[in-house]
Amino acid sequence: MALKSTLGALVLAGTLLAPTQAHAAADPYVRDLLILTEWFEGQFDNEEQVWFEAYPDMLEEGKKAHDRVHAMHRRISMPELGEHVFYVEEYKDNNPEDVFRQRVVSFGTDPKAGGIRMRIAFLRDAKSVLGGYHEPSKLEGLTLDDLFFIEQSDPNSNCDVIFRRHGTQFEGKMTEKACVFGEGERRRYSIHNVTLSEDQYWRADLTRLVSDDTISAGHPENEPHEMRRALPFICNGRFFSNPSSTFDDGQTKIQRFSDKRLHSQGGTFTVEREADGQMFEVLMRTKQYPFYAERPDFLYFSVRKEGAQRSEVFTVNDINSRHMGATLPGMSAYCHRVGYEFNEALEVLDPAG
């Protein structure tokens, strides 16, 4: 009897799974969905763009410089929206406290639309999950009741973004003039154009007035925020009471600092030397110089006293370095990539070896 029940369950499971498997086999966007969502996950920053726009004569006359934006995308579990769901949190001007966007987005294939559909949801109580990228426990238990879509208040509006693959990148756009909101003279439509590759996330995010198409907020479509993938690091360090010390000699008093977050796209943190109240800034930046043909990319790591004109700078030509640090008179700072395993086997560090 138990055997018959088991066989019956297996037959039923096979009956239920067969259409799904057949659908997946007939869906040409399943693999693209996996690639897109893998690339979408993580952190992105346009520090490089902001840096170059501040460089003399680099910003074209009449154009407005971009704000610095840091975007964080964390995968979350929310089956009601599907298998590929993310919490989005963004802040401006290198200030994690200046959060200006919090969203929940979901991805799914849409063969009829010819690509991958991204749905954008707003949070009813955004403050309750603020900081959720670094504290994922805040995101646990989110349900559809915690979200709302513009379409719920305006059934004629459609704010979905359709992604299509073009070579080694995905390009996503809203249907033209479909994401509409606001009232009267302030009624406007949103434009959300995205180009996503393995290492870059470019986004034109603006609104135009329905009445005459003038820009209400944001930069023109051809002037996107050019964000690049930011690799996360955790940093520790020490101050020595003897300003000439560079190591622990067993006699010098030591002040330690630990678990400071840093990222590779202009990430910074500050730390105070308690002995005299002097503040120090630690910065990491991956540089891509268009001016040079040979070895144009490098990882830039600096330590600067607050208010000082100069900083101690260290550069590494391997932009994929996972562990780096600096030892200075009276101070040391060292960082490792999140996920880095110390004492890794040589074949992991150098598969070609």
Side-chain angles (χ1 to χ4, degrees):
M1 194 71 174
L3 179 60
K4 289 183 179 180
S5 299
T6 303
L7 288 173
L10 289 173
V11 171
L12 177 60
T15 303
L16 293 173
L17 286 174
T20 304
Q21 292 169 342
H23 173 72
D27 188 339
Y29 303 106
V30 170
R31 184 167 179 267
D32 282 350
L33 174 63
L34 297 177
I35 296 172
L36 186 152
T37 52
E38 179 182 349
W39 289 354
F40 187 79
E41 189 171 8
Q43 301 183 51
F44 304 86
D45 199 293
N46 70 324
E47 189 268 350
E48 186 90 346
Q49 178 185 33
V50 171
W51 190 92
F52 274 107
E53 287 182 343
Y55 201 83
D57 301 323
M58 287 297 291
L59 185 64
E60 292 182 34
E61 186 176 353
K63 289 190 175 182
K64 176 185 172 184
H66 287 77
D67 293 328
R68 184 170 171 191
V69 173
H70 189 87
M72 300 179 291
H73 306 159
R74 173 174 284 279
R75 192 182 291 269
I76 62 174
S77 175
M78 202 170 179
E80 303 99 315
L81 285 179
E83 184 180 352
H84 303 282
V85 185
F86 294 84
Y87 169 68
V88 172
E89 184 171 300
E90 301 183 8
Y91 60 81
K92 294 192 299 184
D93 299 327
N94 199 33
N95 180 6
E97 304 298 319
D98 190 8
V99 174
F100 71 96
R101 173 178 277 118
Q102 292 174 263
R103 303 285 189 271
V104 170
V105 301
S106 62
F107 294 89
T109 63
D110 190 337
K112 288 185 178 180
I116 297 166
R117 182 178 296 275
M118 180 178 79
R119 300 200 66 203
I120 304 173
F122 294 78
L123 289 141
R124 297 186 185 278
D125 183 9
K127 288 184 179 180
S128 67
V129 296
L130 186 64
Y133 181 85
H134 292 299
E135 299 179 59
S137 60
K138 291 184 175 183
L139 304 171
E140 295 175 359
L142 279 176
T143 68
L144 285 177
D145 291 336
D146 300 310
L147 310 178
F148 69 93
F149 298 84
I150 288 181
E151 297 90 323
Q152 290 175 271
S153 57
D154 191 336
N156 295 319
S157 187
N158 178 4
C159 297
D160 294 353
V161 177
I162 303 299
F163 284 87
R164 296 178 176 88
R165 185 163 187 169
H166 294 277
T168 57
Q169 63 189 29
F170 292 92
E171 295 181 6
K173 292 184 178 182
M174 290 178 171
T175 301
E176 188 175 359
K177 298 185 179 182
C179 184
V180 185
F181 53 93
E183 302 293 338
E185 294 181 355
R186 295 301 301 163
R187 190 156 177 80
R188 52 204 184 275
Y189 61 91
S190 179
I191 297 171
H192 195 91
N193 296 344
V194 176
T195 300
L196 176 68
S197 66
E198 186 173 7
D199 296 313
Q200 301 195 48
Y201 174 58
W202 290 22
R203 186 183 69 211
D205 191 21
L206 65 149
T207 57
R208 290 183 178 273
L209 296 177
V210 171
S211 58
D212 59 8
D213 294 328
T214 57
I215 292 178
S216 173
H219 289 261
E221 293 90 323
N222 63 345
E223 299 175 22
H225 281 79
E226 300 174 3
M227 290 176 274
R228 296 173 56 212
R229 184 173 298 282
L231 302 175
F233 285 77
I234 296 293
C235 302
N236 304 297
R238 296 174 292 182
F239 289 109
F240 304 105
S241 59
N242 181 351
S244 63
S245 294
T246 58
F247 64 95
D248 184 0
D249 59 10
Q251 299 178 356
T252 302
K253 291 183 180 179
I254 297 175
Q255 174 199 337
R256 302 180 188 276
F257 56 90
S258 60
D259 298 329
K260 299 291 185 179
R261 291 196 190 103
L262 201 63
H263 64 78
S264 62
Q265 294 300 321
T268 62
F269 70 84
T270 57
V271 62
E272 180 181 3
R273 185 167 61 193
E274 296 171 355
D276 57 5
Q278 176 68 56
M279 300 296 294
F280 289 79
E281 179 186 73
V282 179
L283 177 147
M284 184 181 293
R285 174 189 292 137
T286 303
K287 296 300 298 180
Q288 285 188 327
Y289 276 113
F291 310 122
Y292 311 118
E294 293 186 19
R295 307 181 81 181
D297 305 342
F298 59 90
L299 193 60
Y300 172 103
F301 184 71
S302 77
V303 180
R304 182 195 298 267
K305 286 185 179 180
E306 189 177 63
Q309 294 297 314
R310 293 183 55 193
S311 59
E312 302 289 344
V313 176
F314 303 83
T315 65
V316 179
N317 279 102
D318 180 6
I319 61 174
N320 294 312
S321 296
R322 294 179 291 174
H323 190 204
M324 63 187 305
T327 299
L328 311 169
M331 179 187 181
S332 67
Y334 38 96
C335 307
H336 66 272
R337 180 99 61 85
V338 172
Y340 174 88
E341 296 290 339
F342 292 90
N343 300 317
E344 289 179 319
L346 289 178
E347 57 269 23
V348 175
L349 295 173
D350 184 11

